[in-house]
Each structure stands twice: as C-alpha cells, then as structure tokens.
Amino acid sequence: MAFYSVNRRFVAGLALAGFMLAAAGCQSSDNGILDFGFGKKDPTAPPPPQNPQVLASQLRAYCPKVTLRDGTAFFNTYAKGTAAKPKKKKGDATADAEAEAAAAAAQAGSNGAPVDPNRDPAKIIYQASITDVTRDCTHENGQLTMKIAVAGKVVPGPLFAPGTVTMPIRVAVQHGPDVLYSQLHQYQVQVTDPSAATQFVFTDANVVVPEPTATDYQAYAGYDENTPAATDKSKGKRKKRAAATN
C-alpha cells in the first residue's frame, strides 16, 4: 500500500509540473514560428498591388459600354411658321401697346417665358426617343470593331402628319479626351399611324477603333441636333443669274 501511495503522488507531481510548463510555454513568445495567421502582420511585407495589370484575355473580352449623353435621348420635329401678330392701328398708342402685349403673350409659354417659334410644344409633329442602347464587339488584327444598336420609338404630336421622320443619330467612341470615332447618321423612319408609337432600331456596324490597351474606352450614341444645316445652293445660282441679266 505504501508503494502505491508513493507512486500515485509521483505521477500526480509529474502531471502538475507538465501543466505548469505548458502554461508557461503558451505565455511566452514563439517569435512567429507558430503563427497561424491570427497574429500581427509582417510590417516588412510589401502591400498588394493597387492597379493590377489587365490580362490579355480580359482585353479580348472587353467591349466598351455605350451610354447616352445628357440631352441626347429625345428629338422633336416641329411644324414651321410663326404665330400671326395682331394688326396695329396707326396713331393709336393704346392700341399699339395692346398689340405688342398680345404678340408677346402669344409667343410665351405657360410659365411666361418666351417660346421659340421654331420649337413651340403646340407645334410638335413627332417626338422621337431612344429607349435602349446595346453593342457587340470583335477583336481582330489590332483593331476593335463594334456594332452599336439604338432602339427607340416615334410618337405622333399635336400636328401629326404621316410621312418620313429624319433623325440625326451620332455614334462616337472616346479614349479620354481623344475622339477615336464619330459619325453622324441621318436615319429615316416612316410614320403612318397617328394613334400609336412607331418602334425603330438603328445599327452602326462599322465602328472601328484601335485595339485598347486598358478597359478605358467610352462609347456614346444619341441624337445630335448641333450640326449646321445644309445650304440651298440653288438660291445662290438664281441670284447670280439675276445679277448677270441686269
């Protein structure tokens, strides 16, 4: 019995000493040898790259997004002509003032602001709008070829008259401030139904630009009314003929 008691005490002592050594080891520093990712990061490790290089496979799959600029989603066609002005009576100052006030009121909108006689909302023949844009891309021989499609509709206005609507649609591609492609298309749509909108789809399949080296191209599609109107050369010829005969 004495041997059993001594042996049990000896084993218990060894177990207690081992626990104390293990606890001391957990509290001591392992100098990162047992670092499983839960400790502090190495301050000497380089930071991850902020702008990783675009892979060639990503560039081959890259197709620039097409957007609409502000103010290019709508296009209106107006009836020509100006509002008739009231006749003024000579020598009557009151009548002259009333005539001028009536003329100003006739050319003012509901908010009192002046109305351009060539853009009077009451004289809209058609209103065209772009409802969606999409694109398709092909990479070949160092070039990017885009097929840009524009979908929209033409809605008859108060002065609807069946006929052909010509819409100035511009397609462009830019790389920063540089314009890589810009083309204005005079797209025509036949409108005959006064009670419903006429749907249309326009496609520019020949948008060719240099192969991009980064994903930073921007494509645009929309109406462009800021182009100079074509001059009537026949008027100039008639004036020259008249001058020659005099």
Side-chain angles (χ1 to χ4, degrees), residues 16 28 56 103-104 119 124 136 164-165 170 179-180 202-203:
L16 179 60
S28 63
R119 294 180 178 273
I124 292 179
D136 181 64
T164 302
V165 179
R170 182 175 294 278
V179 178
L180 305 179
F202 162 78
T203 303

Side-chain angles (χ1 to χ4, degrees), residues 76-83 116-127 154-165 191-195:
N76 297 330
T77 302
Y78 298 87
K80 296 181 180 180
T82 58
D116 185 348
N118 296 321
R119 294 180 178 273
D120 188 345
K123 296 182 179 180
I124 292 179
I125 303 176
Y126 312 102
Q127 183 179 75
V154 179
V155 180
L159 298 182
F160 169 76
T164 302
V165 179
V191 181
T192 58
D193 189 353
S195 61

